[in-house]
Amino acid sequence: MKKVEHTVEAIILASRWLLVVFYLGLALALLLYAVSFTTKLYHFADKLLTLAETDTILKMLSLIDAALVASLVVMVIISGYENFVSRFDNADGTEISWLGKVDAGSLKIKVASTIVAISSIHLLQVFLNVQQFTDSQLMWLTIMHMAFVVSALLLAYIDRLMTSSKKAKGE
């Protein structure tokens, strides 16, 4: 029976390598998003001298938004791989120390914070074009943004409680 248990555990442990497919897929999606970003940047540069100030700000916010999304994807790829698959090593076999600093709990907070930042930028873009939206749309966009803010704060609070609990137990 112990042999069956060890076999099942080995299969379950090896299954973590299936996550690599997802991380490689995210890396490919990031490459495609970089192409999209480059296209946006080219169009922005091409029309820079003819854009109104508000339009320039909106284009820049769109680029910032894209950078935040790309950073979020990189964060998920690196910390997910580090936490669930394997540690990153240098060519000489030593660990790359700066990569292992994000655990699953802090990743959730970083993801939530990034989502709040993205939502904030989107909401700012909406308010800069307020004439294109109804009062109802503005209200719901604001409510959704506040839901993201509250969720991020609750995640941070829960993480703080968990950290305090671990410290109190001496872990």
Side-chain angles (χ1 to χ4, degrees):
M1 195 61 165
K2 205 61 165 165
K3 186 175 183 178
V4 171
E5 181 180 344
H6 287 297
T7 301
V8 168
E9 289 171 358
I11 291 169
I12 290 171
L13 189 59
S15 71
R16 77 186 191 277
W17 286 97
L18 293 173
L19 290 170
V20 171
V21 174
F22 295 93
Y23 299 133
L24 291 174
L26 285 173
L28 179 60
L30 186 61
L31 174 66
L32 296 173
Y33 197 52
V35 171
S36 170
F37 177 86
T38 304
T39 303
K40 285 181 188 178
L41 182 60
Y42 173 77
H43 290 300
F44 175 48
D46 187 45
K47 297 178 182 180
L48 180 63
L49 298 176
T50 61
L51 290 174
E53 185 177 356
T54 303
D55 291 331
T56 301
I57 292 169
L58 287 170
K59 294 284 186 192
M60 288 174 38
L61 287 173
S62 176
L63 295 174
I64 292 168
D65 191 37
L68 286 171
V69 169
S71 299
L72 177 63
V73 172
V74 169
M75 205 180 340
V76 169
I77 292 169
I78 290 174
S79 64
Y81 186 88
E82 268 279 312
N83 286 315
F84 302 115
V85 180
S86 179
R87 298 271 181 237
F88 286 95
D89 297 328
N90 280 330
D92 63 3
T94 60
E95 280 192 22
I96 302 171
S97 63
W98 64 270
L99 289 175
K101 303 292 187 226
V102 180
D103 63 3
S106 62
L107 176 63
K108 288 179 192 175
I109 293 169
K110 288 179 186 287
V111 168
S113 299
T114 305
I115 289 170
V116 168
I118 292 166
S119 175
S120 297
I121 290 170
H122 183 260
L123 198 57
L124 180 57
Q125 289 172 322
V126 166
F127 282 114
L128 287 173
N129 282 318
V130 74
Q131 66 279 2
Q132 296 178 6
F133 296 90
T134 66
D135 288 345
S136 177
Q137 289 173 317
L138 292 172
M139 178 190 70
W140 282 110
L141 288 168
T142 304
I143 288 171
M144 286 190 318
H145 174 70
M146 292 310 299
F148 291 141
V149 170
V150 169
S151 296
L153 289 171
L154 287 174
L155 276 174
Y157 179 69
I158 290 167
D159 187 60
R160 186 173 183 188
L161 287 177
M162 298 286 284
T163 303
S164 299
S165 174
K166 285 180 182 178
K167 285 181 182 175
K169 290 180 182 178
E171 292 180 14

